[in-house]
Amino acid sequence: MSSLRPFYPTAWLAVSAAAMLLLVTPMSQSRAQAQAVQATQAPAQTANPAPASPSQTTVAATSPEQRGITARAIDKVKQVAKSAGDIFSRVPCLPPKGGSKAMGSLPHVANKLVAGQPVVIVAFGSSSTAGYGASSPDFNYPNRLAAQLRRHYPTADITVVNAGVGGEDAPEMMKRLQTQVIDVHPDMVIWQVGTNAVLRNLDPADTAKLVEDGISRIQSAGGADIVLVDPQYSPAVNQRAESAGKMIKLLGKVAELRKVGIFPRFEVMRDWHENQSIPVESFVIADGLHMNDWGYACFAQLLGDDIIRSVGQIKLGVNVPADVRTYRPM
């Protein structure tokens, strides 16, 4: 995994706070379409906007009362940002000590970045995608991931759409796959799935079949890069260890069969506890299921590191034979 960087640089904080007073010029068609879907489905979980340059903004006149409101808002932003900046100083975010299976290459995203074209990523899933357990939308994993990618690719137009709906699993997700994923025309889909199926005692084989069908539909629609995210390591999931184990194994087989990536969330989180000696309560909230701010932040950081590494190797043309461009174990 790549070295860690703070999530909230000072310059970004200043722009984020000032953004409340700025009117940004029309965005690209791809970003506008993606954010329109996001605003309809999860208005409280929109991705952080990319910082606007002074040449793209107009400062609105403010009354004393408005300035007072703005000052309080800026203080709020500073408080959240300070907490975000400190989060890894309290508990470091480290990759698994023994390493983990890489999630594969991402040629579609890499090609868009090389061409200077907008990149749209859809985070598709349930409550841990929506961000249940986070203290604010700033701490859900899609927003943390968006901030990290924009820092690493500062000239790129990157949108991360949060299409997470709590309580759902593959049967419900398939019903909105067309409108909230395929119709957005994403360059990458991060599909978090399987946890609620385990908790609801659904047959892991049935879930795997639905996920495979969904991947086939996404690939047929435009060939977006796809990364599956398996269930989380947490007390509620571990109580159904046999079902969880089957689910993780089957999702891995689906990823291999359909030549897509997989981020081994269960393995990564188990490493936090068993190998790095981090107490479970340090990354899971009191319900024994959902991640807290640190858990989401570290998950997003490690996922982002894998994306950046995968894109970098594709851009450099490292070991990417034409017949396996959609998947390459690293």
Side-chain angles (χ1 to χ4, degrees):
M1 300 290 180
S2 62
S3 60
L4 302 178
R5 297 173 301 280
F7 273 82
Y8 289 82
T10 302
W12 186 89
L13 293 178
V15 175
S16 296
M20 298 174 185
L21 299 176
L22 303 179
L23 301 175
V24 183
T25 56
M27 62 186 75
S28 69
Q29 183 176 357
S30 296
R31 177 173 284 189
Q33 182 182 23
Q35 292 185 343
V37 172
Q38 185 181 21
T40 300
Q41 301 299 333
Q45 297 155 0
T46 55
N48 294 329
S53 66
S55 63
Q56 295 176 315
T57 61
T58 301
V59 179
T62 58
S63 66
E65 179 181 296
Q66 288 173 320
R67 283 195 294 272
I69 295 173
T70 301
R72 290 194 296 272
I74 290 174
D75 288 341
K76 168 80 171 169
V77 169
K78 288 180 178 178
Q79 290 171 5
V80 172
K82 183 176 185 297
S83 176
D86 291 346
I87 199 165
F88 290 152
S89 65
R90 295 195 294 272
V91 180
C93 176
L94 303 175
K97 292 182 178 179
S100 62
K101 179 181 177 182
M103 65 184 186
S105 61
L106 306 171
H108 202 78
V109 171
N111 291 336
K112 282 292 192 75
L113 288 171
V114 169
Q117 298 176 348
V119 173
V120 175
I121 299 172
V122 173
F124 191 45
S126 58
S127 56
S128 59
T129 296
Y132 186 86
S135 62
S136 80
D138 296 294
F139 285 92
N140 67 43
Y141 103 75
N143 280 348
R144 297 300 297 245
L145 177 64
Q148 180 184 2
L149 295 179
R150 290 172 187 155
R151 283 195 310 276
H152 193 83
Y153 306 107
T155 62
D157 179 4
I158 298 174
T159 298
V160 179
V161 180
N162 190 330
V165 176
E168 290 194 351
D169 213 276
E172 297 81 16
M173 293 177 195
M174 289 295 287
K175 295 177 182 177
R176 58 190 181 93
L177 181 71
Q178 182 67 44
T179 57
Q180 296 190 17
V181 178
I182 294 174
D183 288 350
V184 178
H185 304 294
D187 301 297
M188 179 179 180
V189 178
I190 304 171
W191 191 352
Q192 167 260 312
V193 66
T195 299
N196 286 318
V198 170
L199 299 179
R200 288 155 53 183
N201 293 316
L202 301 182
D203 186 347
D206 291 342
T207 298
K209 181 62 170 61
L210 287 172
V211 171
E212 184 177 356
D213 291 345
I215 291 172
S216 179
R217 286 176 57 187
I218 295 169
Q219 290 176 328
S220 298
D225 300 326
I226 301 172
V227 173
L228 299 179
V229 176
D230 62 22
Q232 65 263 47
Y233 176 89
S234 66
V237 174
N238 295 343
Q239 288 176 2
R240 296 167 171 79
E242 183 177 356
S243 178
K246 289 180 180 178
M247 182 68 71
I248 293 164
K249 184 176 181 180
L250 286 170
L251 289 175
K253 287 185 175 180
V254 168
E256 184 176 2
L257 178 66
R258 299 303 306 184
K259 295 181 170 38
V260 302
I262 187 162
F263 183 86
R265 180 170 57 156
F266 187 90
E267 176 187 336
V268 167
M269 294 179 68
R270 181 169 62 182
D271 186 85
W272 293 347
H273 180 57
E274 295 184 0
N275 294 330
Q276 299 183 35
S277 300
I278 301 174
V280 172
E281 56 269 25
S282 292
F283 55 85
V284 174
I285 64 173
D287 68 0
L289 177 61
H290 296 94
M291 286 182 279
N292 60 16
D293 287 346
W294 185 91
Y296 284 124
C298 192
F299 165 44
Q301 176 73 39
L302 298 178
L303 176 61
D305 288 345
D306 272 1
I307 291 173
I308 291 166
R309 181 184 298 107
S310 298
V311 167
Q313 293 199 6
I314 290 289
K315 289 170 71 175
L316 293 173
V318 178
N319 297 326
V320 192
D323 59 340
V324 291
R325 277 185 63 81
T326 56
Y327 179 78
R328 175 177 54 81
M330 293 187 295

